[in-house]
Amino acid sequence: MLDKIALILAIIGALNWGLIGLFSFDLVAFIFGGQAAIGSRIIYTLVAIGGIWCINLLFSPLEKNK
């Protein structure tokens, strides 16, 4: 379950970075009132933790879905 949450957070981060790269639009900052707003900082931190957690998926053996 934790792996799925981390992947969801990584996807959110990837979509946000895609919007920044393509359109110079930060959706997280837009929703939460700017990059320095506490809501944005929490989301950015959760995405970072999720991305760090996903590193272990690179090194774990593949498992079949249960």
Side-chain angles (χ1 to χ4, degrees), residues 17-58:
W17 275 110
L19 287 171
I20 291 169
L22 292 172
F23 305 110
S24 297
F25 179 71
D26 187 342
L27 182 62
V28 172
F30 178 77
I31 291 172
F32 291 99
Q35 289 182 337
I38 190 72
S40 294
R41 293 178 63 192
I42 290 169
I43 298 299
Y44 295 143
T45 303
L46 289 174
V47 167
I49 292 169
I52 291 167
W53 182 263
C54 286
I55 291 171
N56 86 36
L57 298 177
L58 288 174

